[in-house]
PDB file of all heavy atoms in Angstrom:
ATOM      1  N   GLN A 168      35.019 -33.774  24.560  1.00  0.00           N
ATOM      2  CA  GLN A 168      36.133 -33.033  24.928  1.00  0.00           C
ATOM      3  C   GLN A 168      37.427 -33.971  24.577  1.00  0.00           C
ATOM      4  O   GLN A 168      38.406 -33.410  24.062  1.00  0.00           O
ATOM      5  CB  GLN A 168      36.051 -32.481  26.386  1.00  0.00           C
ATOM      6  CG  GLN A 168      35.282 -31.323  26.553  1.00  0.00           C
ATOM      7  CD  GLN A 168      35.154 -30.919  28.050  1.00  0.00           C
ATOM      8  OE1 GLN A 168      35.686 -31.691  28.859  1.00  0.00           O
ATOM      9  NE2 GLN A 168      34.512 -29.767  28.325  1.00  0.00           N
ATOM     10  N   GLN A 169      37.300 -35.245  24.861  1.00  0.00           N
ATOM     11  CA  GLN A 169      38.374 -36.086  24.682  1.00  0.00           C
ATOM     12  C   GLN A 169      38.701 -36.269  23.171  1.00  0.00           C
ATOM     13  O   GLN A 169      39.774 -36.242  22.771  1.00  0.00           O
ATOM     14  CB  GLN A 169      38.017 -37.498  25.253  1.00  0.00           C
ATOM     15  CG  GLN A 169      38.227 -37.568  26.707  1.00  0.00           C
ATOM     16  CD  GLN A 169      37.865 -39.090  27.259  1.00  0.00           C
ATOM     17  OE1 GLN A 169      37.322 -39.891  26.582  1.00  0.00           O
ATOM     18  NE2 GLN A 169      38.142 -39.255  28.596  1.00  0.00           N
ATOM     19  N   VAL A 170      37.518 -36.321  22.440  1.00  0.00           N
ATOM     20  CA  VAL A 170      37.651 -36.440  20.959  1.00  0.00           C
ATOM     21  C   VAL A 170      38.446 -35.088  20.475  1.00  0.00           C
ATOM     22  O   VAL A 170      39.336 -35.154  19.642  1.00  0.00           O
ATOM     23  CB  VAL A 170      36.247 -36.651  20.308  1.00  0.00           C
ATOM     24  CG1 VAL A 170      36.419 -36.425  18.748  1.00  0.00           C
ATOM     25  CG2 VAL A 170      35.890 -38.059  20.676  1.00  0.00           C
ATOM     26  N   LEU A 171      37.834 -33.994  21.020  1.00  0.00           N
ATOM     27  CA  LEU A 171      38.420 -32.801  20.503  1.00  0.00           C
ATOM     28  C   LEU A 171      39.889 -32.659  20.932  1.00  0.00           C
ATOM     29  O   LEU A 171      40.662 -32.010  20.131  1.00  0.00           O
ATOM     30  CB  LEU A 171      37.598 -31.626  21.131  1.00  0.00           C
ATOM     31  CG  LEU A 171      36.303 -31.295  20.398  1.00  0.00           C
ATOM     32  CD1 LEU A 171      35.461 -30.147  21.215  1.00  0.00           C
ATOM     33  CD2 LEU A 171      36.366 -30.852  19.040  1.00  0.00           C
ATOM     34  N   GLN A 172      40.220 -33.166  22.184  1.00  0.00           N
ATOM     35  CA  GLN A 172      41.512 -33.214  22.527  1.00  0.00           C
ATOM     36  C   GLN A 172      42.413 -33.987  21.696  1.00  0.00           C
ATOM     37  O   GLN A 172      43.591 -33.484  21.243  1.00  0.00           O
ATOM     38  CB  GLN A 172      41.564 -33.582  24.010  1.00  0.00           C
ATOM     39  CG  GLN A 172      42.864 -33.595  24.648  1.00  0.00           C
ATOM     40  CD  GLN A 172      43.496 -32.159  24.892  1.00  0.00           C
ATOM     41  OE1 GLN A 172      42.681 -31.252  25.067  1.00  0.00           O
ATOM     42  NE2 GLN A 172      44.719 -31.898  24.756  1.00  0.00           N
ATOM     43  N   LYS A 173      41.957 -35.163  21.278  1.00  0.00           N
ATOM     44  CA  LYS A 173      42.678 -35.996  20.414  1.00  0.00           C
ATOM     45  C   LYS A 173      42.963 -35.473  19.085  1.00  0.00           C
ATOM     46  O   LYS A 173      43.984 -35.455  18.503  1.00  0.00           O
ATOM     47  CB  LYS A 173      42.010 -37.451  20.248  1.00  0.00           C
ATOM     48  CG  LYS A 173      42.257 -38.369  21.479  1.00  0.00           C
ATOM     49  CD  LYS A 173      41.696 -39.677  21.128  1.00  0.00           C
ATOM     50  CE  LYS A 173      41.838 -40.517  22.416  1.00  0.00           C
ATOM     51  NZ  LYS A 173      41.246 -41.885  22.096  1.00  0.00           N
ATOM     52  N   VAL A 174      41.720 -34.777  18.617  1.00  0.00           N
ATOM     53  CA  VAL A 174      41.874 -34.101  17.287  1.00  0.00           C
ATOM     54  C   VAL A 174      42.799 -33.027  17.318  1.00  0.00           C
ATOM     55  O   VAL A 174      43.740 -32.788  16.484  1.00  0.00           O
ATOM     56  CB  VAL A 174      40.534 -33.636  16.821  1.00  0.00           C
ATOM     57  CG1 VAL A 174      40.586 -32.611  15.633  1.00  0.00           C
ATOM     58  CG2 VAL A 174      39.496 -34.755  16.509  1.00  0.00           C
ATOM     59  N   LYS A 175      42.895 -32.174  18.445  1.00  0.00           N
ATOM     60  CA  LYS A 175      43.806 -31.108  18.525  1.00  0.00           C
ATOM     61  C   LYS A 175      45.208 -31.676  18.594  1.00  0.00           C
ATOM     62  O   LYS A 175      46.156 -31.127  17.982  1.00  0.00           O
ATOM     63  CB  LYS A 175      43.489 -30.389  19.870  1.00  0.00           C
ATOM     64  CG  LYS A 175      44.341 -29.120  19.976  1.00  0.00           C
ATOM     65  CD  LYS A 175      43.958 -28.322  21.262  1.00  0.00           C
ATOM     66  CE  LYS A 175      44.963 -27.296  21.417  1.00  0.00           C
ATOM     67  NZ  LYS A 175      45.001 -26.525  22.712  1.00  0.00           N
ATOM     68  N   GLU A 176      45.518 -32.718  19.393  1.00  0.00           N
ATOM     69  CA  GLU A 176      46.802 -33.364  19.525  1.00  0.00           C
ATOM     70  C   GLU A 176      47.201 -33.773  18.109  1.00  0.00           C
ATOM     71  O   GLU A 176      48.406 -33.712  17.718  1.00  0.00           O
ATOM     72  CB  GLU A 176      46.815 -34.489  20.492  1.00  0.00           C
ATOM     73  CG  GLU A 176      46.644 -34.022  21.910  1.00  0.00           C
ATOM     74  CD  GLU A 176      46.513 -35.370  22.930  1.00  0.00           C
ATOM     75  OE1 GLU A 176      46.483 -36.471  22.496  1.00  0.00           O
ATOM     76  OE2 GLU A 176      46.315 -34.978  24.179  1.00  0.00           O
ATOM     77  N   GLU A 177      46.250 -34.478  17.301  1.00  0.00           N
ATOM     78  CA  GLU A 177      46.665 -34.966  16.094  1.00  0.00           C
ATOM     79  C   GLU A 177      46.942 -33.852  15.145  1.00  0.00           C
ATOM     80  O   GLU A 177      47.857 -33.774  14.304  1.00  0.00           O
ATOM     81  CB  GLU A 177      45.472 -35.885  15.477  1.00  0.00           C
ATOM     82  CG  GLU A 177      45.497 -37.202  16.162  1.00  0.00           C
ATOM     83  CD  GLU A 177      44.213 -38.004  15.609  1.00  0.00           C
ATOM     84  OE1 GLU A 177      43.468 -37.450  14.909  1.00  0.00           O
ATOM     85  OE2 GLU A 177      44.037 -39.114  16.184  1.00  0.00           O
ATOM     86  N   ASP A 178      46.130 -32.774  15.348  1.00  0.00           N
ATOM     87  CA  ASP A 178      46.399 -31.522  14.494  1.00  0.00           C
ATOM     88  C   ASP A 178      47.768 -30.935  14.738  1.00  0.00           C
ATOM     89  O   ASP A 178      48.592 -30.528  13.881  1.00  0.00           O
ATOM     90  CB  ASP A 178      45.363 -30.402  14.671  1.00  0.00           C
ATOM     91  CG  ASP A 178      43.992 -30.703  13.942  1.00  0.00           C
ATOM     92  OD1 ASP A 178      44.038 -31.631  13.065  1.00  0.00           O
ATOM     93  OD2 ASP A 178      42.885 -30.049  14.165  1.00  0.00           O
ATOM     94  N   ASP A 179      48.079 -30.940  16.054  1.00  0.00           N
ATOM     95  CA  ASP A 179      49.464 -30.395  16.569  1.00  0.00           C
ATOM     96  C   ASP A 179      50.494 -31.302  15.986  1.00  0.00           C
ATOM     97  O   ASP A 179      51.548 -30.684  15.507  1.00  0.00           O
ATOM     98  CB  ASP A 179      49.439 -30.304  18.059  1.00  0.00           C
ATOM     99  CG  ASP A 179      48.673 -29.193  18.613  1.00  0.00           C
ATOM    100  OD1 ASP A 179      48.226 -28.309  17.880  1.00  0.00           O
ATOM    101  OD2 ASP A 179      48.494 -29.265  19.886  1.00  0.00           O
ATOM    102  N   ILE A 180      50.383 -32.552  16.039  1.00  0.00           N
ATOM    103  CA  ILE A 180      51.377 -33.474  15.571  1.00  0.00           C
ATOM    104  C   ILE A 180      51.626 -33.359  13.975  1.00  0.00           C
ATOM    105  O   ILE A 180      52.644 -33.196  13.478  1.00  0.00           O
ATOM    106  CB  ILE A 180      51.059 -34.935  15.948  1.00  0.00           C
ATOM    107  CG1 ILE A 180      51.171 -35.177  17.345  1.00  0.00           C
ATOM    108  CG2 ILE A 180      51.914 -35.953  15.165  1.00  0.00           C
ATOM    109  CD1 ILE A 180      50.587 -36.636  17.937  1.00  0.00           C
ATOM    110  N   PHE A 181      50.342 -33.150  13.331  1.00  0.00           N
ATOM    111  CA  PHE A 181      50.406 -33.021  11.868  1.00  0.00           C
ATOM    112  C   PHE A 181      51.048 -31.682  11.603  1.00  0.00           C
ATOM    113  O   PHE A 181      51.878 -31.637  10.587  1.00  0.00           O
ATOM    114  CB  PHE A 181      48.919 -33.027  11.410  1.00  0.00           C
ATOM    115  CG  PHE A 181      48.975 -33.020   9.842  1.00  0.00           C
ATOM    116  CD1 PHE A 181      49.434 -33.963   9.000  1.00  0.00           C
ATOM    117  CD2 PHE A 181      48.669 -31.742   9.220  1.00  0.00           C
ATOM    118  CE1 PHE A 181      49.373 -33.765   7.700  1.00  0.00           C
ATOM    119  CE2 PHE A 181      48.557 -31.649   7.792  1.00  0.00           C
ATOM    120  CZ  PHE A 181      49.004 -32.774   7.092  1.00  0.00           C
ATOM    121  N   ALA A 182      50.618 -30.614  12.393  1.00  0.00           N
ATOM    122  CA  ALA A 182      51.336 -29.355  12.091  1.00  0.00           C
ATOM    123  C   ALA A 182      52.705 -29.346  12.303  1.00  0.00           C
ATOM    124  O   ALA A 182      53.701 -28.759  11.494  1.00  0.00           O
ATOM    125  CB  ALA A 182      50.619 -28.213  12.954  1.00  0.00           C
ATOM    126  N   GLN A 183      53.246 -29.996  13.321  1.00  0.00           N
ATOM    127  CA  GLN A 183      54.642 -30.232  13.693  1.00  0.00           C
ATOM    128  C   GLN A 183      55.343 -30.873  12.529  1.00  0.00           C
ATOM    129  O   GLN A 183      56.421 -30.561  12.030  1.00  0.00           O
ATOM    130  CB  GLN A 183      54.749 -30.893  14.998  1.00  0.00           C
ATOM    131  CG  GLN A 183      56.017 -30.536  15.758  1.00  0.00           C
ATOM    132  CD  GLN A 183      56.013 -31.187  17.084  1.00  0.00           C
ATOM    133  OE1 GLN A 183      55.260 -32.105  17.368  1.00  0.00           O
ATOM    134  NE2 GLN A 183      56.880 -30.595  17.875  1.00  0.00           N
ATOM    135  N   PHE A 184      54.634 -32.024  12.112  1.00  0.00           N
ATOM    136  CA  PHE A 184      55.240 -32.840  10.947  1.00  0.00           C
ATOM    137  C   PHE A 184      55.359 -32.037   9.754  1.00  0.00           C
ATOM    138  O   PHE A 184      56.305 -32.111   9.046  1.00  0.00           O
ATOM    139  CB  PHE A 184      54.365 -34.139  10.748  1.00  0.00           C
ATOM    140  CG  PHE A 184      54.803 -34.831   9.639  1.00  0.00           C
ATOM    141  CD1 PHE A 184      55.909 -35.712   9.805  1.00  0.00           C
ATOM    142  CD2 PHE A 184      54.042 -34.879   8.359  1.00  0.00           C
ATOM    143  CE1 PHE A 184      56.359 -36.502   8.618  1.00  0.00           C
ATOM    144  CE2 PHE A 184      54.440 -35.705   7.415  1.00  0.00           C
ATOM    145  CZ  PHE A 184      55.514 -36.409   7.475  1.00  0.00           C
TER     146      PHE A 184
END
Side-chain angles (χ1 to χ4, degrees):
Q168 285 176 351
Q169 283 178 349
V170 167
L171 287 174
Q172 182 68 29
K173 280 185 182 181
V174 167
K175 184 180 176 193
E176 286 174 4
E177 288 175 359
D178 283 348
D179 287 347
I180 290 173
F181 181 76
Q183 203 174 24
F184 175 74

